[in-house]
Amino acid sequence: MATPSSAFREPSVQSELPARSLQTLLEHPALWRAGQLQRAPAAHPSGFPELDAHLPGGGWPRAGLAECLLDTTGVGELRVLAPLIRALSRSEARWIAWINPPFTPYAPALAALDIDLERMLVISPRTHREAVWALEQTSRSGSCSLALAWLDERQLGPRDTRRLQFAAQQGQMLTCLFRPAQAAATQSMAELRLALAPAGPGRLRIDIRKRRGSWPVSGIEVQVETPDSPEAVYVQLDHWRRQRAAAVTDAVTDAKEPADLAPVDTATALDASPGVSNSPVDAVAPVTH
Amino acid sequence: MRWLAVHCPTLPLEVFTLREPGGAGIAPPAGSEPSPALPRVVIEDNRVVLADPAAVAAGIQPGSTLATAHAICPALRHYRREPDQEARWLRRLAEALHAFSSQVSLVPPAGVVVEIGASLRLFGGEEALVAAVRAACLALGHQVVCRTAMTPLAALALARAECPEPTKALTEALTEAPTEALTEALTKVPLAAAAIESDRLTPAIIEQLAGMGVRTLGQLLALPSEGLASRFGSDLVDYLARLTGTRPDPRQALVPAPYFRRNLHLLEPVRSRDVLLGLMTRLLNALQHWLLARNLGVEELAWRFTAAGRARPPLVVGVRFSTAQQRQARLLEISRLELDRTQLPDEVIGIGLSAERLQSWRGDSTTLFRWLPGTAQPTELGRLVDRLEARLGRGTCWSIRARDQHMPEAAWQPVAPLRAVAPLRAVAPLRGVAPLRAGPTAKPGPTARSGPRPPRATGPAPRPGRRPIWLFVPPRPIRSSQLTLLRGPERIETGWWQPDTATRTDPPEVAQTTALPQARWRDYYVARLVNGAECWVFVDTHTRWYLHGYFG
């Protein structure tokens, strides 16, 4: 991995520019110099050591705009952020904003991840302009620690990302923008761009497309979930089948109470074609008594 | 005891200018030149009682007739004096002064006395307090003269000596008073200026005293009181005793109104939004003073805009705050955002403001380490929500809560942000509202409902079901050929204890086709879609498959 070389020094400034205007230019928050990279930027650990090793400062940036590029929802894009969300919701008395989420953030799942639900603020604007306005407001206010945003890709330009990056810096907040994978081709002012793709059961492949201070890197794999094996389904259905057998015995001895046989029929249907895909489940007839 | 007298010499004129768009008290829009002031006078009985500086500069004297004034200055604007309006505005001014003391009393027609002895320390001394009072009055659009003394009457006399009372009888008396005597010392206060309570120090008495060569309070106080009592009655002696403090002078304290409702009827319709905002600022200023006086915060307020020329009900614009507010700047900021979304009448002739919902004020507390990131206060969190809701509309900002319900759709609910205790309403009795660690109670298998029979499970204990971060509302039908099952099944049954309500939780098409109330269940699986996404699917009683969420 390319790391910023210590030989890379700031050139001494030889310019006709008045010193004051140069100073104002250097104070611009969107401008950074290579020399500043010696000092690691403030970061939150992501909870995944494989990922932290490649992120500048060893984690998610504390302030700024990060982009997650993904083709489909459900690859684990929020599970990879979950340790960060949990840490921020527990440690900071600020909002975690969900701006224009594509579906409903499901409270029991977030609670099961030990995330403090009191900090969640879901904002559902009606138009793209309102969404960008809301995101800028949450950024500038300084009362948000993290914003997760889904914006209209067709109306989002490099100028918007520049404004969002600027606002996030101003409010000391991390904005995480979720965009489709083809947005990687467009220009963006985000300081971190990650492409996410599924990589096997419970695994997520992360390609860093842009980061501060060094080159892109690809092929990082993180385990976002303990993997499930399809066998588990059959173990469970087998368990149900044995219960059915017991229930049938009971039904013979005690005819008053009819046993509920419904799950066993799903189980039998899956059993009918073991090993292969589970497609024949459609063919199961409803159970009536 | 230390008394502050606030005297409002130009009140008769201010009650008109304050109702004029662009009048006194409204800052002109930045960058524009203040328009040349038109000379204005207030008349009573066809005589000028008060002239503004422009009119005085033109040569109009108080006491001249209206015809004379118009002859001097043809562009003159005149108003007929409205004593009941003056009383109303004076009362508003007095209520605003509650921010400085609890002991505020009215002294009609144009004075207010405030006991400030108990407030000196809080405001950092007399000078600072008087400056704050003067600034507060100016913000409300009133020019005032403030003087302090040991008794209310002395303070009033000093304040009024600065600006002579502009009533007809006294302007005549004043002309005889020596002008060089107008200094701050009480002894040099002319009697005419001291004549506040007309039943005590009447113009007749003042004239009589002037005939004796007594023109100032100092001269009057030097006279023996017995002689004064026999010549002018005991009232005059009583007045002098209260003036000097040898006799107590109790004042009735003004009680602030229990509600806040102000209407500003303008003399001319307003077309510009900026002017409207200026007027609104002033109303909010009054509201802030009222809230401070009653130690309240406002959670909801309502603006009423009356359109000119039409007998239609006023346009009501409600403004809500997630936490109670007291400061005018906050109230204005959110009101302004709310106005951006509202189509106002073209010409507004009346503005009303009322505080709809009030709450006792808890006060602002700040953190010691404000500069540290992540230490926002609840009020700051609420400020963001207020701003977003004012612009995006009600109900666009919400927070989420988990509920102890085992139907996945019912296991969460949206709540208003910053509500500490979510209002929970459930069909089934709740065991608690604590956030769930492992999702809602799922029925592990058929044994859970097999009544008194002991469970005979011998297989592996079912793991608590995984729940997806994204939920679909409602579930979407899906073809099972697109799925690879990874984990499950997890059976969730519902409604078998209630014959009819079960249909509510099913997708509509299921609800229509299902006739049997019993045996309503879903088998949930974690599955992988063909594109690699992990999702949460279920198969229902009719073996139809539904996508219910994504593991984001």
Side-chain angles (χ1 to χ4, degrees), chain B residues 243-468:
Chain B
L243 179 77
T244 50
T246 50
R247 186 171 292 187
D249 185 11
R251 297 270 155 179
Q252 196 177 8
L254 186 73
V255 180
Y259 52 87
F260 185 89
R261 202 185 175 93
R262 290 276 158 91
N263 285 306
L264 199 59
H265 298 289
L266 303 169
L267 300 179
E268 286 171 21
V270 176
R271 291 177 193 83
S272 143
R273 222 181 84 101
D274 287 339
V275 174
L276 208 57
L277 280 171
L279 294 167
M280 287 166 66
T281 311
R282 226 168 48 206
L283 280 174
L284 287 173
N285 225 329
L287 174 61
Q288 174 186 324
H289 286 301
W290 182 81
L291 290 170
L292 282 170
R294 294 193 62 91
N295 201 30
L296 290 171
V298 62
E299 278 193 333
E300 186 172 347
L301 49 87
W303 290 98
R304 284 178 188 75
F305 297 99
T306 316
R310 257 173 263 164
R312 276 201 305 189
L315 173 76
V316 181
V317 179
V319 183
R320 282 202 304 192
F321 307 93
S322 54
T323 50
Q325 299 299 329
Q326 209 174 42
R327 295 287 159 192
Q328 173 247 333
R330 279 299 315 284
L331 300 172
L332 182 68
E333 179 196 358
I334 305 298
S335 297
R336 185 195 290 247
L337 283 169
E338 199 75 54
L339 272 197
D340 285 345
R341 299 195 300 129
T342 318
Q343 178 70 45
L344 283 176
D346 291 336
E347 294 193 332
V348 175
I349 192 73
I351 310 175
L353 172 64
S354 55
E356 300 287 314
R357 210 144 42 90
L358 298 160
Q359 213 184 43
S360 57
W361 180 246
R362 282 197 312 263
D364 275 325
S365 62
T366 56
T367 18
L368 185 56
F369 302 107
R370 279 184 73 83
W371 44 272
L372 282 181
T375 48
Q377 288 295 301
T379 47
E380 288 172 35
L381 299 181
R383 190 171 305 178
L384 173 66
V385 175
D386 288 343
R387 215 179 304 143
L388 291 170
E389 283 212 320
R391 166 80 185 262
L392 306 177
R394 303 263 157 81
T396 48
C397 293
W398 35 285
S399 192
I400 48 177
R401 290 284 175 281
R403 295 172 77 201
D404 201 0
Q405 293 281 310
H406 66 251
M407 280 311 291
E409 298 94 321
W412 76 284
Q413 81 179 145
V415 291
L418 280 183
R419 294 275 176 268
V421 182
L424 283 163
R425 283 173 55 212
V427 182
L430 288 169
R431 284 200 303 269
V433 293
L436 303 175
R437 288 280 155 153
T441 20
K443 298 234 158 196
T447 47
R449 51 161 295 202
S450 49
R453 236 179 311 148
R456 291 170 192 238
T458 50
R463 282 186 284 172
R466 274 173 62 193
R467 291 290 177 269

Side-chain angles (χ1 to χ4, degrees), chain B residues 8 10-28 34-35 37-38 40 52-53 77 79 89 137-144 264 266-267 275 278-283:
Chain B
C8 201
T10 50
L11 187 67
L13 186 60
E14 277 162 6
V15 300
F16 297 102
T17 53
L18 283 172
R19 285 185 289 159
E20 265 174 7
I26 305 171
S35 55
L38 222 55
R40 302 166 215 248
D52 75 347
R77 261 180 111 157
Y79 306 95
W89 285 89
C137 295
L138 262 181
L140 290 167
H142 293 287
Q143 295 278 350
V144 292
L264 199 59
L266 303 169
L267 300 179
V275 174
L279 294 167
M280 287 166 66
T281 311
R282 226 168 48 206
L283 280 174

Side-chain angles (χ1 to χ4, degrees), chain A residues 62 72-80 82 90-95 98 101-114 117-126 129-131 133-134 137-138 141-144 150 172 198 200-202 225-226 228-237 239-240 242-243 246-247 250 257 259-260 262-264 266 270 277-282 284-289, chain B residues 337 341 373-377 380-382 384-385 387-388 391-393 395-402 407-409 411-413 417-420 435-440 444-447 449-451 453 456-460 462-463 466-473 476 479-481 483-491 493 516 518 521 523 525-526 528 531-534 536 539 541-543 545 550-552:
Chain A
R62 201 171 273 275
T72 169
T73 315
V75 295
E77 73 277 11
L78 288 176
R79 279 173 290 173
V80 78
R90 295 277 166 202
S91 67
E92 293 199 5
R94 297 199 286 172
W95 292 115
W98 302 62
F103 313 106
T104 308
Y106 192 40
L110 297 175
L113 289 166
D114 200 23
L117 294 178
E118 301 232 325
R119 297 270 161 262
M120 301 295 130
L121 178 68
V122 185
I123 303 162
S124 34
R126 282 155 303 192
R129 275 188 61 192
E130 283 188 356
W133 181 85
Q137 285 295 315
T138 48
S141 70
S143 50
C144 265
W150 291 260
Q172 282 295 300
E225 190 83 50
T226 39
D228 292 305
S229 63
E231 288 83 51
V233 176
Y234 293 99
V235 171
Q236 179 68 35
L237 289 172
H239 170 59
W240 281 13
R242 261 174 299 172
Q243 283 185 342
D250 275 5
E257 193 187 355
D260 181 9
V264 189
T266 323
L270 286 167
S277 170
N278 320 92
S279 47
V281 199
D282 264 349
V284 180
V287 181
T288 48
H289 286 289
Chain B
L337 283 169
R341 299 195 300 129
T375 48
Q377 288 295 301
E380 288 172 35
L381 299 181
L384 173 66
V385 175
R387 215 179 304 143
L388 291 170
R391 166 80 185 262
L392 306 177
T396 48
C397 293
W398 35 285
S399 192
I400 48 177
R401 290 284 175 281
M407 280 311 291
E409 298 94 321
W412 76 284
Q413 81 179 145
L418 280 183
R419 294 275 176 268
L436 303 175
R437 288 280 155 153
T447 47
R449 51 161 295 202
S450 49
R453 236 179 311 148
R456 291 170 192 238
T458 50
R463 282 186 284 172
R466 274 173 62 193
R467 291 290 177 269
I469 296 183
W470 292 126
L471 189 76
F472 286 8
V473 185
R476 300 176 185 178
R479 292 174 57 188
S480 64
S481 57
L483 303 169
T484 309
L485 302 184
L486 298 178
R487 181 192 275 202
E490 177 189 346
R491 171 154 297 195
E493 284 183 78
L516 293 171
Q518 76 273 26
W521 47 260
D523 280 345
Y525 293 90
V526 178
R528 188 181 303 123
N531 63 6
E534 264 186 59
W536 206 42
V539 56
T541 331
H542 300 269
T543 58
W545 288 81
Y550 272 132
F551 291 90

